[in-house]
Each structure stands twice: as C-alpha cells, then as structure tokens.
Amino acid sequence: MSHGDLYDAIFDDEAYSQLPAMVAAVAGGRSCTLYHFHPQNPLPDLQFSYFSRSLIDDFMSDISDDIWMNAGMATGIVNKAIALDSFVPEPVYRASWLWNDLFRAHGDDTGHSLGIVHKMDGMVMCSAIQRSFSSGAFDREEVAKLDRLATDLHRVYRARHVMRRQSERLSHLAELLHSGGEKLLLVDGELRVIEGSPAALRLIERKDGIDIQEGRLCLADPHLTLAIRKAAEDTIHRRPTQRATFLCLRPSGAFPLHLLVLPAMHAARSSCVIVINDGQMREDRLQLWLHQHYGITPAEASVALALLAGRSPEEIGETRQVSVATVRSQIRQLLEKTGTNSVTQFIILLNAIG
C-alpha cells in the first residue's frame, strides 16, 4: 500500500471504502473492519471488506460483545498492532457471542484476529484484520507489517475526523470568507493570500505574531512560516503531511494563535484554508471565572493568562512595563487566592477551567 493510497482515503470516500481490503492484504488477512467506537454509543462510520452486509449489521447491533475488541481495549496498548489470539484463547473465543451468534450463525469460519486501537478526541477507532481458523494465527512478521502501517492509519483517521467536523462549515466557504465571525485565510501553496475573512484580516492588522507581507502570510517565527507553507503545499498536492496544526506565540504575550491547515477548492482549483483561533473567547471565560470564584483582579488575571501562554515573569514584566518584582508579587497573590502551591499547579487549574 502506497502513501498515495492512504492520502486518497483522507479526501475521497470511495478510496476510504476500499481501505479495508488494502489493509487486510498488508498482513495476510482475509477481511478487515474499520470503525469508530464509543463505549455508550457506537458511531455509524464503519468500513469493511469480505463480510456480508447482514453480518455487519448484526455485528453493529451488539458491538459491545466483541470479545476481540474488548480484549484489545483492556490491554491499554494504543496505535500498535496486537495479535488478539494472545489475549483470547481459542476455547474462550469458541464460547463467545462473536463466534456462536455472529460468525457461525452466518456460516462464516473467522477464527483469528489482528488489530490496532487508535484513540482520538474521546473516541476510539478500531482497525481489525481477520482470517479463518484453517489459516492459522497471525505470526510476528504479519504483526510487524500491520504495525508499520499503524502511524499512517492513525493519521488518516485523525485527518478525516477533523475534516468531517469542518466540512459543513467549509462547504459554505465563500459565505464564511465574507462573514464577520470566522477567522479564515484562503491561500495557495506558497502562502499567497487569495482572500481572507474580515475577522482574520482584523487580527492580522495587529501584527502580533502574524502578518501579510508582499501578499504572503508570514509568522513571527520564520521556521514556523516554512512549516505551514510545507503543510499547505502537501495539502494542495494531496501528499502525506506530518503536521496540519500549528501554535504561534505572540510578542504581546496574548494567547498563542492556533492555526489549522485544511484542503479547499477555489475557482475549481485546489487550495487550502487556514483556520485561525486566537483564544479570545477562552481568555474572556477564564477572566470571568477567576474573578467570580477567586476574586482575582484584572491585573492579576492578565498575569495568569500570560503564565498560561508560557511566558516567564521577566517576559510578563517587559510586556506589561512593570518590574519583575511586581509580577512575582502578583503570582504569589494568584497562588494564595486559588489555594495552589506552585505555578505548575496553577496552570493545571486554569486548563481544567478552560
């Protein structure tokens, strides 16, 4: 299986539907199932090869009784191939619902499984390869073959998950670019800005870590600019990319910018959209919470937000034009008012609130 095949599965639903057969072939399996799983609510996104539709429907109706999946989850091993025969001996499997009420009931002789558990954003994605009893258990070489594919599969699932959440919004790209709320930039592979939403352009006008120079997007950190340009080029040319999300620190000490690179179409040509989140809503929520629950003043809240953004007392003092001694005094007040014993504990508290 090539990287191109995997990358096609991110954008193309037809290619994604063919992914199970390709994954099964990698490790000598006969069948493969790829599905999202939630402990209380199985999601309907499932792709499979070889099995009949009726068998899959019965499987989804009682997915919580999948003894192989439950064994894989119980190991705590994530993003790594597991030979499930090691955890579910044959006598146990033959006594299970999976064998008696599913496979055997459908005249199927599936008896061995190899799988990967991928965890992301509160959900679990399972990749499971199966074959018949007569084919024997999966050996170490076959486990290693699937293991080498694990990172790429996880990247496909995560990219599809992110794109699914954004797809409805980005399907109305023209409307969003002309609206006042979303911070979006439509760019080409060289980060030339084709169009920007009003909110994004207002943010860029502040020149606080992000700017447009000679028509191109520029970040305060030139290495970050190069990394985002690489992601944009890969996205437009449908190549595998190592990163799609980026964190940009701002000289003012404000919350870092979070940038997400996503594919888009413009004038019937591939381009990409950079979604910018400047954290302003989170700042407002944290300031209100700190004031209501701990009596923290606006000046102290400003120091708290700077600490959360990773700033040192010296950097905070320079940005706010006060002495380091004043900043350290305000930090002591923050710890005392919130009942925390260190800046680390205080940051943990802020993350729990936000």
Side-chain angles (χ1 to χ4, degrees), residues 38-52:
H38 188 281
Q40 296 177 333
N41 180 29
L43 300 177
D45 184 359
L46 179 142
Q47 302 295 329
F48 61 95
S49 65
Y50 176 77
F51 294 126
S52 67

Side-chain angles (χ1 to χ4, degrees), residues 34-47 53 56 59-61 63 120-125 161 164:
L34 310 175
Y35 54 94
H36 283 113
F37 173 79
H38 188 281
Q40 296 177 333
N41 180 29
L43 300 177
D45 184 359
L46 179 142
Q47 302 295 329
R53 181 74 254 181
I56 289 296
F59 169 65
M60 290 300 289
S61 68
I63 192 172
M120 56 184 183
D121 301 335
M123 294 190 302
V124 174
M125 186 77 183
H161 177 58
R164 187 162 47 246

Side-chain angles (χ1 to χ4, degrees), residues 53-92:
R53 181 74 254 181
S54 61
L55 185 151
I56 289 296
D57 288 343
D58 287 347
F59 169 65
M60 290 300 289
S61 68
D62 286 300
I63 192 172
S64 61
D65 289 330
D66 181 349
I67 192 171
W68 279 331
M69 181 190 66
N70 291 334
M73 296 279 290
T75 66
I77 300 173
V78 179
N79 300 332
K80 188 173 179 63
I82 309 169
L84 295 170
D85 290 349
S86 304
F87 301 94
V88 183
E90 184 174 328
V92 175

